[in-house]
Amino acid sequence: MRHIGQAGKIFTLSAVASVLVLTGCGSTPKTQSKPVVVEPTPIETTQVEDNVTPEHKLLEAKKVWERTRNKEQRDTLLLQAADLYLQNQQPVLAQQVLYEVKEDGISGVNQSYYSLLVTKAYAGMPDASAEELLAMLDGVTGTGETAFQKAELQTQLFTQQGNLAAAANSVLKTNLTDDEKVQQVWQWITSIPASSLDSVGSTYPDLSPFITLRELTEENASSPEKLAKSLQQFKQVYRGHVLENALPENVIEATQLTDAGANDIAVLLPLSGRLARTGQVVKNGIMAAYYTDVEKRQDEHLLPRLRFIDTNEVDTQHLLSEIGDTKFIIGPLLKDTVERLIPSLPLGVNVLALNRPDELPDNASAKGLATGSSNPAIADDALASGTGLAGDDTQNELHSLGLPTSLNYYGLAPEDEAKQLAEFIFNKGYRAPIVIAAQSSLYQRMDDTFKKHWRILNNQENKQRANITSVSFNDSNSLREGITQALDVAQSNERINQIEYMTNDEVYNMPRSRRDIDAIVAFASPQDTELLNPIIEASLNPYDGKQVPVYATSRSMDYDSGKNQWRDLQNVHFIDMPWLMPSHSWQPLQQEVEQAWQNQNTMQKRLFAFGFDAYQLLPQLGMLNTLKYLSHEGLTGTLSLNQQGEVIRKQPQAIIRNEKVQMLSE
C-alpha cells in the first residue's frame, strides 16, 4: 500500500521536524519496507493533555532519542504525534510520520498502535485497499479506547466492501449508545436477503438476536397486536441484551398500529364500456381473494362488505358521492381517474390505487410519501394512530393538502419489468448486451427504461459508458437485418465475399458473429419473439461454443399458443408472475379458478392475479409501510413498498427447455 505522504512532497514546518528527528536516528539500522510481523503487545492509545501539539511530541521524541537512545520510547512519541495530526484533520502529515517510523522498523510494543494509526490515516481514501487495512487491524490488540477505535474502523471498511453483516457485527463493539447501535445494526440486518440470514447468524452469533427479531416481525406482519405480544416474549428471552431496552424505532411503530378494521371496502373499476371486460376480470380476482378469506376465518360476518363502483364515464363528484364515508378504497384502475380522484378524497381514507401517476413526489420522507404528504412531521402524526387517522390539527393540515391519509400505488407497469430485467442481467455479470425492441410505444418505453437503468448501474461502477448495442424493428425483414448487423454477421459475409472476389476461389468459411456480446435482451410481442429467437440462434457462431443468453419479459410470453411457441423460444430466459409458472403454491386455487372461469387467456390470468393480490395487500399496507423490509408473496410476485408508497413487484425467472417452462433459482 503506497504511502501518499512520501509522494506528496507537501511539508509544513512540523513535517520537516519529524523528518529531521528521524534523520538524527541514523544509528538504528533500517529494516525492510513492509512492517515487521511480530506478535503484537497490547497497548492503549495515549490520551494526551490539552493544548499539546504534534510538534511538541516530535520535539519530545528528538530529546528522548538524544538523551537515552531508547527507540521504543521515541517511536511511541512519534506515533502520538501522528495520532494528533489525525485528530487535527492533517492526514498527509500523519502519513509522513508513519512512513518514517515504518522505514526505521516497528518494535513489537508499538506494532498494534502503529497498525491502528495507519488504518485511520488511509481508511476512506480512494486508492487504499480495504482488504489490506482490515488485515492490518487484525494485529491491533487492546481494550478501552483502542478497541472502540478498531471497531469503528472495521465498521467503516466493511461498509466500503459492502459486507453489511460484518459491519453490523463491528458496530456492536463500538462505544456508540445502545439506541445508535440498534438502529444501525437493524438497518443493515433488514437489508440482507432473507436467504442469507442463517449463514450470517452462524458466522456472527452476536447478530442472532437481531435476526430472530426480524423473523418475528415477518411472522406477525398481519397483526400489530400479535407482534406486540411476541415482542414481550422476545424481551424475556433476551433479557440483558441491548435489544431489551432499545428496540428499533420502526418495530415500535409497527406495534402501535391498529388492525386495519376494513369493514367496508369500495372497489373502483371500469365495469362498463370499452374496458368492462378488463374490470370484470380484476373484480373476479378480488372476489376470489375475498372468498379465500371466508374459508380461512370460517365466519362471513368477520369479513368486510365489498362495494364495486363503476368508474366508466363518471365525473369525480359522482365517485366521491358513491364512496361516501368508506375509509378503504381499492382502485381506480385507470391512470387519469387516479390523478383526478386522489386529490379530492377526504382525510382518513386509505387508498390502494391500481395505477400510478407519471410523476410522484421525490422530496418527501418515507412516511410522508406513504401518506401522500410532503411534510414528514404531518406523516408521523398521521401514522401514529395505526389506521392513519390523525388528530384534529394534523387532519386540518392534511385536508388543506387535499390528500388522503394513506396512499399506495400498485400496478403492472411494463417499465417495472424492464428495470428488474436490467438489474438481474447486470448482477449476473453481463456488461455488453444487444437490446432488441419493436417499434411500438409499449416496447419502446421498456427499451428506454432498460437503457436508463443500465446507465445508472454502470455509473455505480464508475463506468463512463454503458456498452449497449441497440436494434429497433417494425417487421420481420428489418428484424433479421437489424440482428445480423448488430452481431456483425452481415459484415462477416461481406469480408468472405471480398476474399472470394480477390482470390477467384471459393472460401470455405462461416460468417462469424461478434465476440464481445454477452447477452441479448428482447422487448417484443410473443409473435415477434418467436421469430427473433431462431434468427439469433442462426446468427451466433461463437468460437468457444458458448451460447449468448437471450432474455425477455412477460410481455414476450403467451401461454395460449401451444407447444410450437415453446419450440421456437428454446433457451429463452424470461421473468413472469408465479401464478403463470407450472409449479406454484396455489394449485388448489388454480383448480377452482379453472372451474369457475374456463378458458382464461394469458392476459386475463394476469389481471385475475392482480385483483387477487390487491385485496390481500390492503390490510397489510400499514405494516408494509412501516417495516419496509417486509414483503408479501403474491400471485403476481414478491411484493414490497418503496419510499414513494409504490408496490415493487419482483418476479421469478424461468427458461424454456425441451418445449417446457422451467423455473430458475436466483
Side-chain angles (χ1 to χ4, degrees):
M1 181 170 54
R2 183 174 62 87
H3 280 263
I4 296 176
Q6 182 193 24
K9 304 299 182 183
I10 303 174
F11 301 104
T12 63
L13 179 61
S14 60
V16 173
S18 70
V19 176
L20 289 175
V21 170
L22 292 169
T23 303
C25 307
S27 59
T28 302
K30 298 273 184 169
T31 63
Q32 59 186 10
S33 59
K34 291 186 178 180
V36 178
V37 180
V38 296
E39 187 67 26
T41 304
I43 184 170
E44 297 299 326
T45 55
T46 306
Q47 298 296 316
V48 297
E49 59 272 21
D50 293 338
N51 300 322
V52 173
T53 66
E55 290 76 19
H56 288 147
K57 290 295 178 181
L58 293 173
L59 183 59
E60 189 177 351
K62 181 178 180 180
K63 292 179 178 178
V64 164
W65 178 252
E66 291 174 345
R67 186 175 65 253
T68 67
R69 285 296 191 269
N70 188 318
K71 182 177 184 300
E72 289 185 355
Q73 187 176 0
R74 179 204 66 185
D75 287 353
T76 298
L77 292 167
L78 291 174
L79 292 176
Q80 289 175 1
D83 199 348
L84 287 170
Y85 278 132
L86 291 174
Q87 294 177 36
N88 295 339
Q89 307 299 316
Q90 296 175 291
V92 173
L93 298 180
Q95 291 163 7
Q96 181 64 37
V97 174
L98 292 169
Y99 177 79
E100 297 294 348
V101 171
K102 182 191 73 169
E103 287 294 286
D104 199 46
I106 312 294
S107 60
V109 71
N110 285 313
Q111 182 68 51
S112 182
Y113 193 15
Y114 166 81
S115 297
L116 181 68
L117 292 178
V118 167
T119 308
K120 288 174 66 175
Y122 288 94
M125 301 194 72
D127 59 346
S129 168
E131 184 177 358
E132 290 183 21
L133 293 176
L134 283 168
M136 184 167 285
L137 279 177
D138 288 340
V140 175
T141 59
T143 59
E145 185 63 27
T146 297
F148 293 146
Q149 290 187 30
K150 175 181 177 180
E152 289 172 5
L153 289 166
Q154 287 175 323
T155 301
Q156 179 183 348
L157 294 168
F158 283 130
T159 305
Q160 290 176 15
Q161 289 184 323
N163 190 344
L164 300 184
N169 188 64
S170 297
V171 164
L172 294 175
K173 302 172 184 177
T174 67
N175 62 347
L176 293 174
T177 66
D178 286 352
D179 284 333
E180 290 171 333
K181 289 179 182 178
V182 166
Q183 296 305 325
Q184 183 59 79
V185 172
W186 187 242
Q187 178 184 342
W188 284 332
I189 285 294
T190 54
S191 299
I192 296 172
S195 58
S196 302
L197 291 179
D198 286 344
S199 61
V200 169
S202 60
T203 304
Y204 305 105
D206 290 346
L207 298 179
S208 293
F210 292 89
I211 295 172
T212 300
L213 179 61
R214 173 174 167 174
E215 293 171 345
L216 184 150
T217 59
E218 292 170 344
E219 292 169 1
N220 295 277
S222 60
S223 174
E225 183 179 353
K226 291 181 180 179
L227 176 59
K229 291 181 180 178
S230 297
L231 282 177
Q232 292 302 320
Q233 298 175 355
F234 175 85
K235 289 182 178 181
Q236 292 177 4
V237 172
Y238 291 99
R239 187 179 300 276
H241 190 270
V242 65
L243 283 170
E244 181 185 3
N245 299 313
L247 285 171
E249 293 176 358
N250 56 1
V251 173
I252 296 174
E253 289 178 13
T255 62
Q256 294 171 347
L257 297 170
T258 58
D259 288 324
N263 55 6
D264 185 16
I265 300 174
V267 183
L268 280 59
L269 295 169
L271 299 174
S272 63
R274 180 175 59 88
L275 295 174
R277 192 174 180 183
T278 297
Q280 185 60 49
V281 177
V282 176
K283 177 181 177 181
N284 293 342
I286 292 174
M287 292 303 300
Y290 179 88
Y291 286 115
T292 298
D293 273 358
V294 170
E295 296 177 0
K296 288 181 179 179
R297 304 191 189 193
Q298 301 294 319
D299 189 348
E300 294 186 26
H301 298 292
L302 296 176
L303 290 169
R305 181 170 71 102
L306 283 177
R307 293 190 300 116
F308 290 90
I309 300 172
D310 189 1
T311 60
N312 182 52
E313 295 185 353
V314 295
D315 59 24
T316 302
Q317 193 57 46
H318 175 81
L319 291 177
L320 291 172
S321 177
E322 288 288 320
I323 292 169
D325 295 331
T326 302
K327 300 300 183 185
F328 291 86
I329 297 173
I330 298 176
L333 182 64
L334 302 182
K335 184 180 296 186
D336 60 344
T337 311
V338 171
E339 293 174 340
R340 285 189 290 109
L341 180 65
I342 296 302
S344 301
L345 288 171
L347 183 71
V349 176
N350 301 271
V351 181
L352 177 59
L354 300 182
N355 213 317
R356 65 186 183 218
D358 290 327
E359 296 292 335
L360 289 174
D362 58 2
N363 60 341
S365 70
K367 295 176 183 175
L369 285 163
T371 60
S373 167
S374 60
N375 187 330
I378 294 175
D380 282 336
D381 293 336
L383 285 177
S385 63
T387 58
L389 302 178
D392 292 339
D393 293 340
T394 304
Q395 286 182 7
N396 292 335
E397 290 188 69
L398 281 173
H399 185 70
S400 67
L401 295 171
L403 293 167
T405 300
S406 178
L407 175 59
N408 294 98
Y409 305 95
Y410 175 36
L412 302 180
E415 292 89 345
D416 295 344
E417 292 193 36
K419 183 176 179 180
Q420 181 187 339
L421 197 59
E423 292 178 352
F424 175 72
I425 294 173
F426 193 87
N427 291 336
K428 292 281 285 185
Y430 300 120
R431 293 296 181 271
I434 292 179
V435 182
I436 305 170
Q439 290 180 1
S440 71
S441 60
L442 170 66
Y443 299 112
Q444 288 298 311
R445 280 160 47 200
M446 298 177 77
D447 182 47
D448 291 342
T449 301
F450 180 94
K451 291 174 181 175
K452 179 179 179 181
H453 198 61
W454 192 263
R455 285 191 291 270
I456 292 173
L457 294 171
N458 276 271
N459 289 339
Q460 291 173 355
E461 287 193 348
N462 296 319
K463 293 189 175 181
Q464 300 298 319
R465 186 170 65 92
N467 191 13
I468 289 182
T469 302
S470 294
V471 175
S472 182
F473 70 94
N474 55 16
D475 56 30
S476 58
N477 290 331
S478 61
L479 172 60
R480 183 180 299 274
E481 181 181 351
I483 291 175
T484 55
Q485 287 184 352
L487 291 172
D488 204 21
V489 174
Q491 292 86 338
S492 179
N493 270 318
E494 290 178 3
R495 289 190 290 270
I496 293 173
N497 292 335
Q498 288 175 356
I499 294 173
E500 288 180 341
Y501 176 78
M502 294 171 61
T503 62
N504 201 26
D505 290 322
E506 184 177 357
V507 177
Y508 293 95
N509 206 337
M510 293 180 62
R512 302 290 183 178
S513 59
R514 290 169 55 182
R515 301 181 66 184
D516 59 322
I517 296 300
D518 54 14
I520 297 175
V521 182
F523 297 119
S525 68
Q527 296 75 23
D528 286 335
T529 307
E530 290 178 48
L531 291 175
L532 70 84
N533 190 53
I535 295 174
I536 292 170
E537 288 190 338
S539 302
L540 288 172
N541 293 292
Y543 290 95
D544 56 4
K546 180 182 177 181
Q547 286 189 333
V548 178
V550 178
Y551 290 90
T553 68
S554 69
R555 304 286 171 156
S556 295
M557 297 295 133
D558 184 354
Y559 297 83
D560 308 317
S561 299
K563 285 192 174 182
N564 287 341
Q565 170 191 251
W566 305 130
R567 180 191 63 204
D568 292 333
L569 295 176
Q570 177 72 5
N571 296 324
V572 171
H573 301 68
F574 68 99
I575 56 175
D576 208 340
M577 295 180 181
W579 180 241
L580 277 79
M581 294 292 150
S583 56
H584 56 65
S585 305
W586 304 275
Q587 298 298 330
L589 174 64
Q590 182 175 343
Q591 294 175 6
E592 294 175 4
V593 170
E594 290 175 349
Q595 292 175 0
W597 298 287
Q598 297 180 2
N599 300 320
Q600 279 188 335
N601 61 34
T602 300
M603 181 54 68
Q604 289 172 332
K605 291 176 182 178
R606 292 192 175 112
L607 291 172
F608 173 89
F610 181 49
F612 190 97
D613 283 355
Y615 179 85
Q616 291 205 323
L617 272 178
L618 188 65
Q620 300 185 50
L621 292 177
M623 194 72 80
L624 291 174
N625 271 308
T626 305
L627 303 177
K628 296 291 185 182
Y629 59 89
L630 293 181
S631 61
H632 170 73
E633 296 298 328
L635 275 61
T636 59
T638 301
L639 309 177
S640 58
L641 291 175
N642 67 7
Q643 300 296 330
Q644 286 77 25
E646 298 172 284
V647 175
I648 302 301
R649 186 167 59 98
K650 184 177 181 181
Q651 299 182 102
Q653 290 88 33
I655 189 173
I656 310 299
R657 283 182 180 149
N658 301 322
E659 301 184 13
K660 292 182 180 179
V661 176
Q662 295 184 12
M663 293 282 291
L664 292 174
S665 59
E666 289 292 328

